[in-house]
Amino acid sequence: MNVYLDNAATTLHKPPEVARAMAGAVNSLSSPGRGGYPQAMAAAELVYRCRREAAELFDVPEPENVVFTTSATHGLNIAIKSLVRPGGRVVISGYEHNAVTRPLAALGAEISVVESSLFDRDETLEAFEENINGNTAAVVCTQVSNVFGFALPIAEIAALCRERNVPLIIDASQAAGTMKVSLKDTGAAFIAMPGHKGLYGPQGTGLLLCGAKPIPLMEGGTGSQSSSMAMPDYLPDSLEAGTHNVPGIAGLEQGLRFVSRLGPDRILRWEREKLDWIAGELEKNKRLRLYTDPSGTTGTGVMSLNVEDEDCETVAARLAKAGVAVRAGLHCAPLAHRSAGTLDTGTVRISLSHFTTWNQCKAFVKIMNRRK
Amino acid sequence: MNNYFVTYKSITGAQRAISLLGTAGIRGYLVRTPKNMMTEGCGYAVKIREDRIDLSMRVLKAGASNFGKVFFSPEKDRYDEVTL
């Protein structure tokens, strides 16, 4: 049996309508905003529908403020480079991905990392409170750690940022599709997310929700104000130079509809039910070290683990041979491993989706409990 | 029936306008802005029937729709800029 447990990287199994919509777009749609003929207008209609679907799901007051990107990394780069100047002080959580830390380092920002223990929301909030001051250009915070599934207290951090008038960038990569993500409620300057994880869209898609005025990351044709050498200064055109990924957006629209139909809360509940069962079974194995939330309240459908006296990459290779797909190593988030004390060892990460079955969970547990 | 054309710099802005009009029961049509209406090159307009324009403008203004200019077309290929 093939067991796919790397959904935090990419959800492999999508609702069937995703592929159908993509094929339909490849075969019948041209470019939005580039013509008045039916294939261009139909493409424009599709793109707007997807924008509106995202705006509704993520509480964005106007669909124009939903921008299509190629990934969360792309969106985070726009957000960070719009708000942070070289040398600017930025406060980030101790669970950020390289998609946050590398752009900040490249900018030469002064990075202040909020140190807090894994799964300790109160300590995390308190540490943010101590770190945010009048010189803070921005706060960047992941909503959920991609390594440990730790859901940070994002609503409280957002309230703190509003109170201190500091713009907040949220990395919703692991939260979108399983938790409430709201531009309106958080008052965030930007929220970035990929399309290919919890939103069940294809790779190469992403969304940036804009609550602040962005600066274009690249310039080019937009199909608007063509006689001007300058980029349009209004959304979404200012951030969408070049031809849209219409097949990708067609797939993403279906993924968004799927998530809206089921509801993020329900998807998370199903994932948690299975993950809790897996954790309960694996806890009996004394050779395993599981990184789980003792309170059971801050976790999501992602869990890290290690096997005694066995390198995480060796464990992942052994699992791959047995037909189980997981990800091992640092998961592009060395900061999260530093915070959790696993920087030297890395971890094996398992992550579920709506399409993970009970049989797959049982097969995984059985394989994990085999002697190496 | 003659038509009015409400211009937009962005296709997304024009699409939102159509959506706003739709909530008020008014049908607007997305069209490429005719060349002789353009000021900055490449744009879209929302075509609205003459008898719906007053209500449409109220809806668009109330919805903070960021439109550009408004043209009245009394005959084919003639567009007169108007203030509403």
Side-chain angles (χ1 to χ4, degrees), chain A residues 222-294:
Chain A
T222 56
S224 53
Q225 283 190 285
S226 299
S227 61
S228 170
M229 290 284 272
M231 280 295 283
D233 63 354
Y234 46 85
L235 287 169
D237 299 37
S238 62
L239 297 182
E240 292 184 353
T243 298
H244 290 85
N245 173 7
V246 174
I249 292 168
L252 180 58
E253 186 203 10
Q254 295 304 320
L256 286 165
R257 281 187 179 183
F258 173 78
V259 169
S260 296
R261 200 164 56 241
L262 293 182
D265 292 353
R266 198 141 63 116
I267 294 173
L268 179 62
R269 212 163 47 240
W270 286 336
E271 288 181 14
R272 283 296 307 178
E273 190 187 356
K274 293 186 178 85
L275 191 67
D276 287 347
W277 180 83
I278 290 173
E281 291 299 307
L282 294 183
E283 261 165 12
K284 297 169 193 164
N285 184 337
K286 298 301 168 205
R287 290 181 60 241
L288 301 181
R289 161 85 202 269
L290 308 183
Y291 300 89
T292 52
D293 171 20

